[in-house]
Amino acid sequence: MNDAASALPNQAPPAFTGRRLLYIGTGALGVMFMPMWLHWLRSSYPDVELRTVITRSATRFVTPTTLSVFGGKQPELDVWSDEPETSAPHVELAHWADTVIVHPATFHFTSRLALGAADTPAMLALQCAQVPVALAPALPPGAITSPAWQQHARALAERPNVTVVRPHPGMSMTTGKPGAMTAAPLTEVIPALEELRARLATANGTEATGHARDAGQARATQAPDCTGETDRTGCADRAEATRA
């Protein structure tokens, strides 16, 4: 794997227009750099509200205590609570965030998302969210060319609010050889997110314009209301002109 510290730029951070960022870390080795990225996010975008969620497997490589120090608040563990809750965590997460980053995203997490799994609060929130979602996969050797990965990548590419940021070639910690793929740095993920946000805004604007045009045409083709009209002939003439 690559040293994530080398990805931190000396220049100004990329533009980011989100205001409520949900940052999800999964159980790839690269999640050990999540505290560093949290510090970078808070320093680079001080006006952005930040919430962190980690999967159970991520706790093998990074501790909630470390994340709370660098993130400013306790991270949420992506498991259903055994205690009674007054609200649905997946609904709250989906409604709170205006941007979601999954970094790093394991093969397992990405596959579950592509298949429509909804077995944890964060996964169900992502299935229901309509905001921009960026995944930065971290993959073992051979995974990126496997038929399973290719199928999942195609499925996610069909989702209008999801972008999968291509990972970087890296070194396998197990074999000591090249072949693993490491998550792209946030300095690349954020520009990809902003491109996605712009596409969504354009698509939503086009859709809204189309709805308004259709509504206008529907109103234009409605026959005039002749209730109370004294000149019935004139009203009938207007109705005939409307149908024409």
Side-chain angles (χ1 to χ4, degrees):
M1 62 181 300
N2 297 331
D3 183 1
S6 63
L8 292 179
N10 295 321
Q11 66 272 22
F16 179 61
T17 59
R19 288 295 175 262
R20 297 183 304 277
L21 172 60
L22 177 61
Y23 183 8
I24 301 173
T26 72
L29 182 59
V31 79
M32 65 187 292
F33 296 114
M34 193 173 182
M36 179 199 72
W37 286 118
L38 283 172
H39 175 70
W40 179 80
L41 285 167
R42 295 179 69 196
S43 300
S44 301
Y45 312 102
D47 295 330
V48 173
E49 295 183 62
L50 185 63
R51 288 176 67 172
T52 56
V53 174
I54 53 174
T55 63
R56 192 187 299 275
S57 59
T59 61
R60 297 180 299 170
F61 305 114
V62 66
T63 68
T65 300
T66 304
L67 294 174
S68 65
V69 170
F70 285 87
K73 61 180 66 175
Q74 187 76 7
E76 302 170 46
L77 189 60
D78 188 25
V79 295
W80 299 109
S81 175
D82 293 329
E83 301 298 325
E85 294 182 299
T86 58
S87 63
H90 56 285
V91 175
E92 201 273 330
L93 284 173
H95 279 255
W96 178 85
D98 65 16
T99 313
V100 181
I101 292 176
V102 186
H103 181 279
T106 61
F107 195 133
H108 181 60
F109 187 95
T110 306
S111 300
R112 288 164 55 221
L113 181 64
L115 292 170
D119 53 342
T120 67
M123 185 61 65
L124 182 51
L126 291 184
Q127 302 292 8
C128 300
Q130 299 180 359
V131 301
V133 176
L135 288 89
L139 304 172
I144 199 166
T145 57
S146 73
W149 175 260
Q150 295 293 328
Q151 179 179 350
H152 297 322
R154 286 193 297 270
L156 291 174
E158 295 178 358
R159 301 193 186 187
N161 70 315
V162 175
T163 184
V164 179
V165 184
R166 184 172 179 82
H168 290 195
M171 190 75 67
S172 169
M173 294 292 100
T174 300
T175 66
K177 299 178 181 178
M181 303 296 288
T182 62
L186 291 189
T187 50
E188 295 180 12
V189 174
I190 287 176
L193 264 174
E194 290 303 299
E195 291 179 10
L196 174 60
R197 195 190 309 277
R199 291 198 301 271
L200 287 173
T202 300
N204 290 337
T206 302
E207 182 178 357
T209 301
H211 287 328
R213 182 177 61 249
D214 293 343
Q217 291 174 347
R219 287 192 298 269
T221 57
Q222 289 177 350
D225 183 4
C226 296
T227 303
E229 290 271 6
T230 57
D231 184 1
R232 296 290 178 175
T233 302
C235 184
D237 290 342
R238 292 199 305 276
E240 184 64 29
T242 299
R243 287 192 293 271

